[in-house]
């Protein structure tokens, strides 16, 4: 046995049915679709969500309730404890330094500092928003909020 002599077993490979290639092929004229009717036409048949005339599931289910405010500003939350672990005494905390440290991905996303955890370092916080507890903790540690 050699690689150039390898062949599939006799009868294991079957050529595909070539539809609509003349009457001598056996699948000409109507191309195996029969005569007339919905399924014989191009684009015929029911849609994927059709349930035999019954109201489809997608239409029976309720629409989403409530209201979405499109002018809402989503802030990226950063806790005081995270700042304490990443920054040194006297550092400035702003969008650029937070991106450098890997806290946030992009500088253009608004940041809000939250007051979860303890802060022992003197930091200058210059971000979009600061919660009241975070501001109190930064000022208690000797830093300032701009």
């Amino acid at each position: 046995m050699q690689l150039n002599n390898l062949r599939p077993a006799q009868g294991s490979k079957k050529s595909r049915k070539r539809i609509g290639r003349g009457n001598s092929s056996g699948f000409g004229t109507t191309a195996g679709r029969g005569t007339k009717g919905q399924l014989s036409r191009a684009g015929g048949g029911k849609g994927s969500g059709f349930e035999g005339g019954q109201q489809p599931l997608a239409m029976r289910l309720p629409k989403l309730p409530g209201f979405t405010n499109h002018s809402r500003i989503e802030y990226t939350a950063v806790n005081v404890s995270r700042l304490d672990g990443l920054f040194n005494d006297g550092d400035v905390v702003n969008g650029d330094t937070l991106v450098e440290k890997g806290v946030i991905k992009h500088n253009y996303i608004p940041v809000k500092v939250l007051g979860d955890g303890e802060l022992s370092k003197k930091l200058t916080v210059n971000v979009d928003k600061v919660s009241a507890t975070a501001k109190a903790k930064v000022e208690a540690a000797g830093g300032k909020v701009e």
Side-chain angles (χ1 to χ4, degrees), residues 51 55-64:
E51 296 184 18
Q55 184 81 318
L57 178 67
M59 291 177 77
R60 288 195 302 256
L61 296 176
K63 307 263 189 304
L64 289 174

Side-chain angles (χ1 to χ4, degrees), residues 123-127 129-130 134-136 138-139 143-146:
L123 300 173
T124 304
V125 179
N126 186 3
V127 292
K129 260 192 174 181
V130 180
K135 185 175 182 179
V138 168
E139 288 169 352
K144 61 179 178 175
V145 176
E146 295 176 350

